[in-house]
Amino acid sequence: MRLYSYDGPSGRKIGEIGDYTLYSETLVREKSVIKPYVTKESNTAFNFIYGPSTGGLIESTLFNILTTGESIKGMTSDPMFKLRELKVLGKNVKDAMPIIERINGSFTASHSIAFLGAVEDAMEIELDEYILMGRIIELELERIRNHLHVIARMCEAAAFGVPYNNLFYMREKINRLIEEYSGHRFFHNVNRIGEIDIDLIGVSKSLENICNDAKNTYDSLRDSKIFVDRLLDNGVVKDLDCIGPVARGCGYPYDARVDSTTLPYTELGFSPVIEKGKGDAMDRFIIRFEEIQQSTEIIGEAEKRLKKHTTRPHHMENEGEGLGRVESPSGDLTYLIKLNEGKINEISMLTPSKVNLPVFLNSTRGNVFTDFHFNWESFGIWISEIAVGFI
Amino acid sequence: MDFRDSGGFYMKTNNWFLKGLTKLGRTEKFPSEKFEAKSQVNEKVKSEKFMPFNKSLHLYSIDSGACGACNMELQAISTPHYDMNRLGLFFTNTPRHADALIILGVHSERMVEVLEKAYNAMPKPKLIISLGDCALSGGLIGECPEISGKSVVNIPGCPPNPYAILEGIIKAKEVSSK
Ligand code: SF4
């Protein structure tokens, strides 16, 4: 492992990965203690079960809501209904890759790049600039698509048909752009060890209009008192244990793009956008729109540095341990793997959805039922990367 | 258009709602010429039943163990490029109002009962559609849900794109009504 070491806590705490807790600089052999969620006793409260299957949620998951009728007194969740056990142990990296790409369909680029980052760390592979910049562009395109999706879902919760359709129209344009450049709408089969199979020259030009349309929709939504009222004070996060846009919405500059050196974001002049508000759904909404603009700029800068592809790395170790970290659209995403004779011997993963789910549950206390969807969507949690195990 | 005209009616020209309506993206014509239909009719199920869905079809989807991409592509058929409503297709929020159950994802132990309960709660006539490689064969991930054997139409792809999904759903509607 070239970039991380087993040591005491150093840097910000990110979350649990396998038997360890990951900090931004070290791996610590301790289990991350998830704070138990305590609800106050109430004589009149009853449990309302929402899920696991409902038209209001995109994925299957269950929420158990303690309520007195309108206000939410507390909430627990059971995200494991759709548990998938993925057969990757004992496989070589090439065979495992299509499975890793299918852990979370909306974050395929993030998962495959974080996984390959760990593999390349274990194999001690150096990457050329074309690959590094290409991977940055992939990640930022995925971020733009995801943020459009999240904000559109928030508009859907408000029954705001016009911005909802506008945003999904833009998301579809991004999907088509990704398909045009990579051959697949979800970046399947693009990333390989020490390689990428995608020619991204010209992509930033194609993004300009989408970015302007997003800016107009943002201005309009911020002008809408009805919409803003649904987000203000909804799902206030006071928890330091959050990551990604949720943390940046609370004013914490937590971002793997600055504290992971796997990809050279800082060379592109990157620094995280933060919002020093209350840490509510409104702040997460603002962060996501601002990050759409920022990602467009990053793509422009990275494209300037895309030089023609050099050759494949020839030096590859067959054994070793590696850690790969990227900032997925919802936050830090990390893989820790051990390779033995080129096969995966051990693998563990830290996903932003798993870290942020307890934070979401805590943030619902004191809200009312109708706040639920705005808050849930604003977190951008994907159950597919929680209800998953490796065998 | 100046909104100050028309009998003293005044509305801010920067009104987001009107701007959005006039600028909203257009729905596309179904690309029949270049589209290769891939959905497969399950002849066994089809010949067993007659289900008259001549007009609209209301859809309820269940994620049994999907990665999320099939979920996104299914949801995309309601967005402006595809506009499922023009074809008489609608999502419903409960199986009680559904004509068709759409299954996404692989078999997962705890979703078996959920799928069965939802199917039993649907009024007759009703049909099942399997969407994506996971739901129709288990794909690269696992096994398919047992109930997907009752599908009238299978829509392959990982994930199938929104046009392939529309084509498959329309086919399910047509073959069931014959
Ligand atoms: S078929 Fe492919 S896209 Fe659909 S749920 Fe399975 S892995 Fe995901």
Side-chain angles (χ1 to χ4, degrees):
Chain A
M1 208 155 35
R2 293 176 295 185
L3 302 171
Y4 286 82
S5 59
Y6 294 101
D7 210 335
S10 177
R12 74 178 162 101
K13 182 179 164 193
I14 299 169
E16 187 182 293
I17 181 160
D19 293 333
Y20 301 91
T21 297
L22 178 71
Y23 287 76
S24 53
E25 285 154 21
T26 50
L27 269 165
V28 182
R29 193 168 181 96
E30 65 179 22
K31 279 276 188 189
S32 179
V33 184
I34 298 175
K35 277 180 264 156
Y37 181 62
V38 185
T39 48
K40 289 196 193 95
E41 289 295 323
S42 164
N43 293 336
T44 50
F46 61 93
N47 288 84
F48 179 86
I49 304 294
Y50 187 52
S53 166
T54 150
L57 300 169
I58 263 195
E59 295 179 281
S60 297
T61 184
L62 182 141
F63 293 101
N64 187 342
I65 306 170
L66 185 70
T67 178
T68 46
E70 181 66 2
S71 76
I72 297 171
K73 301 289 173 199
M75 196 186 296
T76 55
S77 80
D78 180 352
M80 303 310 254
F81 271 85
K82 56 175 260 188
L83 176 68
R84 293 174 301 157
E85 300 207 302
L86 308 179
K87 297 182 194 96
V88 294
L89 290 173
K91 283 203 158 91
N92 65 38
V93 174
K94 196 168 158 240
D95 294 342
M97 205 52 205
I99 298 173
I100 300 293
E101 285 175 343
R102 286 160 177 82
I103 289 177
N104 179 355
S106 357
F107 296 177
T108 295
S110 305
H111 275 268
S112 47
I113 294 170
F115 172 72
L116 285 176
V119 169
E120 287 155 356
D121 187 23
M123 291 182 160
E124 299 185 4
I125 294 173
E126 296 295 337
L127 301 176
D128 68 30
E129 192 164 47
Y130 183 87
I131 297 167
L132 295 172
M133 293 301 143
R135 287 186 181 173
I136 287 178
I137 295 175
E138 280 182 53
L139 289 170
E140 297 312 309
L141 280 172
E142 194 163 81
R143 192 176 326 280
I144 295 173
R145 176 180 63 193
N146 176 75
H147 287 359
L148 289 169
H149 172 90
V150 167
I151 302 161
R153 295 281 299 170
M154 290 166 85
C155 292
E156 190 181 10
F160 265 29
V162 172
Y164 162 85
N165 281 305
N166 252 334
L167 290 157
F168 273 130
Y169 192 79
M170 291 174 223
R171 186 195 70 174
E172 177 61 20
K173 280 181 158 180
I174 299 281
N175 273 340
R176 291 178 180 197
L177 195 67
I178 294 173
E179 187 178 23
E180 186 188 329
Y181 282 88
S182 77
H184 192 278
R185 287 158 66 89
F186 292 86
F187 290 115
H188 284 185
N189 210 13
V190 168
N191 296 298
R192 317 219 173 97
I193 306 174
E195 268 191 291
I196 55 168
D197 185 10
I198 183 170
D199 184 359
L200 288 156
I201 291 166
V203 71
S204 57
K205 186 97 193 88
S206 322
L207 265 178
E208 270 168 23
N209 284 342
I210 304 174
C211 186
N212 290 339
D213 286 350
K215 173 87 179 63
N216 289 336
T217 306
Y218 174 53
D219 292 342
S220 309
L221 282 169
R222 280 195 75 167
D223 278 352
S224 164
K225 256 189 103 127
I226 307 168
F227 186 71
V228 169
D229 277 350
R230 310 301 303 267
L231 306 185
L232 283 173
D233 295 324
N234 183 350
V236 176
V237 170
K238 300 183 186 103
D239 216 318
L240 258 172
D241 285 347
C242 55
I243 52 177
V246 177
R248 296 193 285 279
C250 308
Y252 308 130
Y254 295 172
D255 199 313
R257 290 173 288 180
V258 280
D259 54 27
S260 161
T261 46
T262 324
L263 293 168
Y265 273 96
T266 42
E267 287 175 26
L268 302 176
F270 171 79
S271 67
V273 180
I274 54 165
E275 190 63 29
K276 288 199 175 114
K278 286 185 176 170
D280 55 13
M282 184 68 197
D283 292 322
R284 295 189 280 281
F285 161 82
I286 294 171
I287 287 288
R288 287 185 193 277
F289 258 123
E290 291 188 355
E291 287 190 353
I292 290 174
Q293 309 296 322
Q294 189 186 42
S295 295
T296 313
E297 286 161 23
I298 295 171
I299 291 170
E301 287 305 310
E303 198 191 316
K304 282 185 206 154
R305 293 176 53 166
L306 270 181
K307 299 203 189 72
K308 219 40 228 161
H309 207 358
T310 52
T311 50
R312 275 198 69 168
H314 45 268
H315 173 80
M316 285 194 202
E317 293 291 335
N318 241 351
E319 318 252 340
E321 189 177 15
L323 187 141
R325 242 179 93 201
V326 300
E327 182 72 13
S328 78
S330 293
D332 288 82
L333 173 67
T334 308
Y335 278 83
L336 177 63
I337 62 152
K338 270 190 191 151
L339 291 178
N340 192 0
E341 293 178 4
K343 300 216 159 80
I344 298 165
N345 209 14
E346 283 178 30
I347 177 166
S348 30
M349 168 178 85
L350 179 157
T351 66
S353 300
K354 197 168 172 198
V355 176
N356 283 338
L357 181 62
V359 181
F360 162 74
L361 295 171
N362 276 335
S363 77
T364 59
R365 205 178 327 182
N367 286 171
V368 291
F369 261 60
T370 43
D371 290 337
F372 175 88
H373 275 284
F374 296 93
N375 190 16
W376 170 248
E377 298 300 346
S378 75
F379 271 73
I381 288 171
W382 283 95
I383 301 300
S384 58
E385 59 179 24
I386 299 177
V388 68
F390 297 114
I391 50 172
Chain B
M1 179 177 177
D2 186 348
F3 295 104
R4 269 158 286 214
D5 300 343
S6 67
F9 177 66
Y10 174 79
M11 201 176 278
K12 265 166 68 183
T13 43
N14 70 348
N15 183 300
W16 64 271
F17 178 75
L18 288 168
K19 260 208 289 195
L21 275 181
T22 50
K23 283 189 71 184
L24 199 66
R26 301 226 175 106
T27 303
E28 295 171 336
K29 194 169 155 254
F30 198 94
S32 322
E33 331 70 59
K34 53 180 181 181
F35 188 79
E36 192 198 332
K38 293 215 179 93
S39 62
Q40 309 135 359
V41 178
N42 185 346
E43 293 296 340
K44 216 168 103 212
V45 174
K46 189 203 128 191
S47 55
E48 273 174 16
K49 294 183 183 126
F50 168 74
M51 296 171 272
F53 295 114
N54 294 324
K55 291 187 176 163
S56 65
L57 194 74
H58 284 74
L59 315 166
Y60 184 75
S61 67
I62 296 190
D63 166 2
S64 163
C67 73
C70 277
N71 316 43
M72 295 235 291
E73 294 297 59
L74 175 62
Q75 185 269 341
I77 66 172
S78 70
T79 63
H81 282 94
Y82 304 100
D83 189 11
M84 65 196 280
N85 298 158
R86 70 185 153 145
L87 304 164
L89 307 174
F90 303 90
F91 285 126
T92 127
N93 278 338
T94 160
R96 295 238 181 246
H97 299 161
D99 304 310
L101 175 64
I102 300 189
I103 302 172
L104 323 169
V106 289
H107 160 87
S108 56
E109 213 54 55
R110 291 175 71 195
M111 287 305 291
V112 173
E113 193 191 340
V114 180
L115 283 164
E116 269 167 19
K117 277 192 174 168
Y119 185 64
N120 292 338
M122 288 166 64
K124 286 181 185 161
K126 53 189 169 183
L127 57 91
I128 296 179
I129 298 168
S130 292
L131 190 155
D133 291 349
C134 285
L136 57 101
S137 69
L140 290 168
I141 302 298
E143 286 165 19
C144 61
E146 205 184 323
I147 197 171
S148 61
K150 293 186 190 167
S151 301
V152 169
V153 161
N154 294 326
I155 309 173
C158 184
N161 89 13
Y163 277 127
I165 297 174
L166 279 179
E167 188 271 335
I169 297 172
I170 292 163
K171 191 182 278 174
K173 187 167 164 246
E174 284 171 2
V175 296
S176 307
S177 308
K178 274 181 191 148

